[in-house]
Amino acid sequence: MLLGDIEVFPIGQEESAATFHCNSWIDPSHCSPDKRVFFPACSYLPSQTPKGVVGLRKRELEVLRGNGCGERKDHDRIYDYDVYNDLGNPDDDTRPVPGGKEHPYPRRCRTGRPRSKKDPFAEERSHKDHIYVPRDEAFTERKTGAFETKKFMSVLHALTTGLKTARHKSQSFPSLSAIDKLYDDNFRNQPVQPEGGKLRLVIDLIETELLHLFKLEGAAFLEEIRRVFKFETPEIHDRDKFAWFRDEEFARQTIAGMNPMSIQLVTEFPIKSKLDEATYGPADSLITAELIEEQIRRVMTAEEARANKKLFMVDYHDLLLPYVHKVRKLDNTTLYGSRALFVLTDDGTLRPIVIELTRPKSKRKPQWRQVFTPGCDGSVTGSWLWQLAKAHVLAHDAGVHQLVSHWLRTHACTEPYIIAANRQLSQMHPIYRLLHPHFRFTMEINAHARELLINANGVIEGTFAPGEYSMELSSVAYDQQWRFDIEALPEDLIRRGMAVRRDDGELELSIEDYPYANDGLLVWDAIKQWALTYVEHYYPCTADIVDDEELQACWTEVRTKGHADKQDEPWWPELDNHENLAQALATIMWVTSAHHAAVNFGQYPMAGYIPNRPTLTRRNMPTEMGADDMRAFVEAPEKVLLDTFPSQYQAAIVLAILDLLSSHSSDEEYMGTHEEPSWKQDGAIRQAFEEFKERTRERSRWTSGTVTLTEKTGTALAWCRMCCSGHRTVILWTRRW
């Protein structure tokens, strides 16, 4: 049962009640020598703990840490670490284990499930058993019901679409209009596939029976059932059916789409790869000064454009190139290393000017690479080649978005913070109470991801560009790119050259109209000020921070256990003053709230229309493949583009999962509106929270511009509400579509 609050008072003196906010699950059938302990709402540093509960405070943490032995049961509340050794069945699906010197990765919660007989380092997987998470991290009953219902709808949704192409999993869409018909009512107008017609009767029967089964569940649920057999038209396609085709939209989505944190300023020219030339081929890029100057109409030299901060790039060349040959051995997919170059125009918007695609050399073939420009040679064929090149870049970006910007940064890297906080910070600790709301449901969502999404042969492997190398690629990104000290928004922008810090300490953006940064910095500033005020209240002097044994133990464990593969890096901040502590806390709060919302809620609105954000590509560029492919391409360029996009079967799976991930929680809460009970006990903290609440309201109003709250925009932060893991965020609205 879920124990809410306990009020203790003398008989007849209810007004003097002492309230204990428990909000924890109790298993009356589980006998344990360790009695449950619930602490009062007042927050105490370890040194301030009332003597009567010092022992209870320490003992409770020992219980939560456990002894590292045995398989965890559903009722357990034990937090411990393990590597990601449960993503595949060692008997069938061998994958490298993320976590360790060879494949560095954050740690996940230990479940203690039996080890595989074939591989003693891997856990057995059982699709019948739910993956353990500490009981208080699990979904509420309301959240569970809503999530399972949405998952059921999404799976059924994909099933009714995928059944039509199940025997032809590689079958392409026959036309662009066929993609549009995915969103027609009941798919009545979808082109019938060879075996598709026979299933119409079955689909109608399923719909009828579901309606009958749930007819007493309310009008809203009935309506959802009726909508089971169609996909909602994605926001981007609903507003402009040809947006996906336009270069302006391609550029806009690099700074205002679902992955606005990959673009970077070009700071060095000529552009060069850092990979070994003996293995991968020449390091110099084909994006030359002459090519750039031609594309910018020679208004300045390439070096002047670089020096004036006019050149920007999305660069997946070095990250993807080592996987090109591996991925190409998989069925129904292909890969390149890629670079996309943009120029900042006089009106402050980006314009794509060059795409470079590269296949590394092999034992039998030299390196292949080619640059593509808008319109290329000015012919119709050249224009279609440019569209194909964009499709490849978008697929690369979709994979990096899902595996790095979303899963790695906001889920995998966050789980160690949650484990360490519960193992080392008492529930009476003020820092625990500051961070706890931001961790809500994350571990449960991560467990679902290990079951269905990132596991071997899961959804990600089957529908995103890196295929079965997805988690391996995520590990490489963690190894090469992830640093805690640059996870904060200002530092991330500075690292990518998207901002510089002026002498007055304020940031100056390299692109003035950069919605993710414009709106995000407003939220960051509010979070940072709230964290700093909070820290300064509970720690009057620096010595209080240094001497806080729980805080220091928690931070040490984040580094040495949760992120053990990076524990010796010199960039880990020391929690030895107010600024460092506030910065670290604000970074965690930012990543688990606004950043996560930015990369999560735009998924279906942007990628729900396959041509706008293909998640993989299945066909090589015709210019690589020779005369026969070029001839087929010239004769039917649209067919080649459709064959390059995900298949109908893959598209159905992608749409279903993105619809699930982008959905809002039924019990979502908003940062700046939820107030922890402990904050109400302290007048100064309550006042600080009220100021934080007002700042978030002001920023929401400021960013709304001329957009009313009933409208939606097409930018990443427009859906900045509680994300799939239930993090609390603030709604943001941008200034331009």
Side-chain angles (χ1 to χ4, degrees):
M1 66 176 184
L2 180 65
L3 182 61
D5 293 346
I6 296 176
E7 291 188 349
V8 182
F9 53 87
I11 295 176
Q13 300 181 33
E14 290 86 346
E15 68 280 356
S16 63
T19 302
F20 294 78
H21 300 282
C22 307
N23 195 34
S24 182
W25 288 91
I26 307 294
D27 184 0
S29 65
H30 174 62
C31 297
S32 171
D34 298 306
K35 303 301 183 183
R36 288 299 306 273
V37 179
F38 295 102
F39 297 101
C42 295
S43 296
Y44 297 99
L45 297 177
S47 61
Q48 301 167 340
T49 310
K51 293 183 179 180
V53 295
V54 169
L56 292 174
R57 180 171 184 154
K58 292 182 178 179
R59 179 55 185 158
E60 176 72 358
L61 288 174
E62 291 173 358
V63 170
L64 292 172
R65 286 194 284 267
N67 59 11
C69 299
E71 183 175 359
R72 300 274 62 89
K73 307 302 181 184
D74 287 345
H75 59 256
D76 282 342
R77 302 164 51 245
I78 296 174
Y79 297 78
D80 205 353
Y81 302 94
D82 205 346
V83 296
Y84 281 77
N85 58 357
D86 64 341
L87 299 182
N89 183 343
D91 297 330
D92 302 316
D93 310 310
T94 303
R95 301 285 189 275
V97 173
K101 182 175 293 186
E102 188 174 354
H103 299 285
Y105 217 62
R107 299 304 190 255
R108 50 92 172 177
C109 184
R110 177 186 176 275
T111 65
R113 289 185 295 183
R115 299 294 175 136
S116 165
K117 295 178 181 179
K118 182 175 181 179
D119 183 358
F121 295 103
E123 283 187 356
E124 290 184 351
R125 283 184 60 89
S126 172
H127 296 291
K128 297 180 180 179
D129 299 328
H130 178 66
I131 294 180
Y132 164 79
V133 296
R135 188 62 186 90
D136 287 343
E137 302 295 334
F139 289 163
T140 62
E141 289 181 339
R142 182 182 177 189
K143 172 74 173 177
T144 298
F147 183 83
E148 291 300 326
T149 298
K150 187 64 178 179
K151 185 168 72 171
F152 169 76
M153 296 298 183
S154 297
V155 171
L156 184 60
H157 203 165
L159 177 63
T160 56
T161 311
L163 278 173
K164 296 184 176 183
T165 55
R167 297 184 184 178
H168 301 272
K169 292 187 177 181
S170 62
Q171 187 163 356
S172 305
F173 286 98
S175 65
L176 289 170
S177 61
I179 299 178
D180 294 344
K181 289 180 174 60
L182 280 174
Y183 314 102
D184 284 351
D185 189 27
N186 290 333
F187 294 143
R188 304 281 184 190
N189 299 320
Q190 183 179 355
V192 177
Q193 304 308 321
E195 288 78 26
K198 298 178 182 179
L199 294 173
R200 184 66 256 171
L201 182 62
V202 177
I203 293 172
D204 286 340
L205 180 62
I206 292 174
E207 181 181 15
T208 301
E209 289 303 308
L210 284 174
L211 286 169
H212 175 71
L213 181 63
F214 295 109
K215 66 180 180 179
L216 301 178
E217 296 297 319
F221 195 61
L222 273 175
E223 178 59 25
E224 186 66 19
I225 291 292
R226 294 187 186 101
R227 294 177 60 249
V228 140
F229 297 98
K230 68 173 182 176
F231 287 106
E232 179 183 357
T233 303
E235 184 78 19
I236 185 69
H237 193 53
D238 190 41
R239 284 181 171 268
D240 184 352
K241 294 187 182 302
F242 298 100
W244 69 275
F245 202 80
R246 297 192 176 95
D247 289 350
E248 297 91 333
E249 184 63 19
F250 174 61
R252 188 189 72 83
Q253 289 186 31
T254 63
I255 57 174
M258 56 190 273
N259 188 32
M261 56 281 301
S262 283
I263 189 167
Q264 58 185 321
L265 180 71
V266 176
T267 56
E268 296 181 355
F269 199 81
I271 300 167
K272 289 188 175 182
S273 169
K274 294 181 175 61
L275 297 176
D276 179 27
E277 290 190 67
T279 303
Y280 298 102
D284 289 341
S285 170
L286 290 181
I287 303 177
T288 62
E290 181 179 357
L291 180 61
I292 292 173
E293 289 162 10
E294 178 182 334
Q295 289 299 308
I296 62 176
R297 302 178 180 87
R298 305 193 185 281
V299 296
M300 64 182 77
T301 67
E303 179 55 34
E304 288 172 338
R306 183 205 63 80
N308 292 330
K309 297 184 178 181
K310 296 290 187 181
L311 297 179
F312 297 84
M313 181 167 57
V314 175
D315 187 357
Y316 297 136
H317 180 278
D318 286 9
L319 179 64
L320 297 181
L321 206 63
Y323 289 92
V324 169
H325 290 314
K326 296 179 181 179
V327 170
R328 287 187 171 202
K329 292 179 181 179
L330 305 176
D331 292 335
N332 206 29
T333 187
T334 190
L335 191 67
Y336 290 99
S338 67
R339 298 184 179 101
L341 196 69
F342 303 81
V343 64
L344 185 63
T345 64
D346 292 339
D347 65 1
T349 61
L350 290 176
R351 178 169 64 87
I353 57 174
V354 183
I355 288 174
E356 180 180 29
L357 300 178
T358 303
R359 183 206 67 213
K361 71 176 187 178
S362 64
K363 293 181 179 179
R364 294 181 299 172
K365 294 181 179 180
Q367 181 192 63
W368 178 90
R369 52 183 179 160
Q370 186 174 349
V371 290
F372 303 88
T373 57
C376 293
D377 55 4
S379 66
V380 173
T381 299
S383 296
W384 278 102
L385 282 173
W386 172 248
Q387 292 298 331
L388 283 172
K390 287 198 298 184
H392 284 282
V393 170
L394 288 168
H396 303 163
D397 192 61
V400 171
H401 160 264
Q402 200 64 264
L403 293 165
V404 181
S405 302
H406 187 201
W407 162 254
L408 174 65
R409 292 181 68 176
T410 70
H411 286 273
C413 289
T414 294
E415 189 151 341
Y417 310 147
I418 305 172
I419 299 173
N422 282 277
R423 286 168 57 88
Q424 300 296 342
L425 296 179
S426 166
Q427 293 179 12
M428 285 197 295
H429 201 292
I431 300 303
Y432 177 89
R433 285 171 165 163
L434 177 67
L435 293 178
H436 183 255
H438 291 270
F439 297 153
R440 187 175 185 236
F441 300 150
T442 298
M443 293 182 73
E444 174 85 350
I445 282 289
N446 290 3
H448 282 289
R450 303 205 314 270
E451 286 183 305
L452 302 171
L453 300 180
I454 63 171
N455 57 302
N457 296 316
V459 171
I460 299 299
E461 287 194 359
T463 57
F464 282 80
E468 69 179 55
Y469 301 98
S470 292
M471 285 300 288
E472 187 176 336
L473 182 73
S474 185
S475 170
V476 170
Y478 175 74
D479 183 33
Q480 297 179 357
Q481 301 175 10
W482 190 87
R483 292 177 45 161
F484 181 85
D485 62 329
I486 55 176
E487 285 294 279
L489 178 61
E491 283 64 35
D492 173 55
L493 294 172
I494 292 170
R495 173 186 66 86
R496 292 188 282 120
M498 302 304 292
V500 294
R501 196 175 293 280
R502 301 193 305 248
D503 293 339
D504 61 2
E506 296 297 318
L507 288 190
E508 180 179 323
L509 296 178
S510 301
I511 300 176
E512 185 178 347
D513 189 3
Y514 183 7
Y516 172 71
N518 297 133
D519 298 346
L521 285 171
L522 296 173
V523 180
W524 165 264
D525 289 343
I527 293 173
K528 177 64 182 296
Q529 184 58 53
W530 162 234
L532 185 59
T533 302
Y534 194 93
V535 165
E536 290 176 341
H537 174 75
Y538 284 105
Y539 297 97
C541 62
T542 299
D544 296 327
I545 299 175
V546 176
D547 295 338
D548 186 338
E549 58 187 26
E550 288 184 5
L551 176 69
Q552 297 299 333
C554 175
W555 191 239
T556 297
E557 196 164 285
V558 166
R559 187 184 76 252
T560 61
K561 292 188 176 182
H563 289 276
D565 301 326
K566 287 181 174 281
Q567 61 181 301
D568 297 324
E569 297 289 351
W571 39 255
W572 284 102
E574 295 288 338
L575 302 189
D576 54 5
N577 59 59
H578 294 88
E579 173 60 28
N580 284 359
L581 176 55
Q583 178 76 6
L585 296 174
T587 298
I588 294 173
M589 294 159 70
W590 160 261
V591 169
T592 56
S593 61
H595 169 76
H596 190 195
V599 299
N600 182 70
F601 284 122
Q603 291 186 90
Y604 187 82
M606 291 286 180
Y609 186 62
I610 296 299
N612 190 60
R613 295 284 298 186
T615 55
L616 55 75
T617 48
R618 300 182 298 136
R619 184 162 176 167
N620 297 332
M621 292 293 292
T623 49
E624 178 197 351
M625 302 311 294
D628 290 343
D629 277 56
M630 272 303 298
R631 189 178 304 109
F633 169 66
V634 171
E635 292 174 356
E638 182 178 327
K639 182 181 185 306
V640 173
L641 181 62
L642 291 166
D643 289 343
T644 300
F645 288 156
S647 69
Q648 296 190 52
Y649 180 84
Q650 291 167 329
I653 302 301
V654 167
L655 295 187
I657 200 63
L658 294 186
D659 187 31
L660 176 65
L661 294 177
S662 301
S663 299
H664 296 298
S665 170
S666 59
D667 56 351
E668 58 190 48
E669 296 170 345
Y670 299 85
M671 190 169 64
T673 62
H674 173 83
E675 185 175 8
E676 289 290 294
S678 61
W679 303 343
K680 300 176 183 179
Q681 302 294 314
D682 190 306
I685 290 299
R686 187 168 191 173
Q687 177 60 34
F689 177 75
E690 289 297 324
E691 293 173 359
F692 172 61
K693 180 191 297 186
E694 184 57 32
R695 281 194 294 272
T696 59
R697 287 175 178 172
E698 289 176 357
R699 277 127 180 88
S700 183
R701 286 195 295 268
W702 190 88
T703 56
S704 65
T706 59
V707 181
T708 68
L709 294 184
T710 59
E711 294 177 336
K712 297 178 181 178
T713 69
T715 62
L717 286 177
W719 295 275
C720 198
R721 296 198 285 175
M722 178 178 295
C723 52
C724 58
S725 62
H727 303 317
R728 297 181 172 100
T729 65
V730 61
I731 297 179
L732 294 176
W733 305 86
T734 60
R735 291 174 296 288
R736 57 186 293 270
W737 165 250

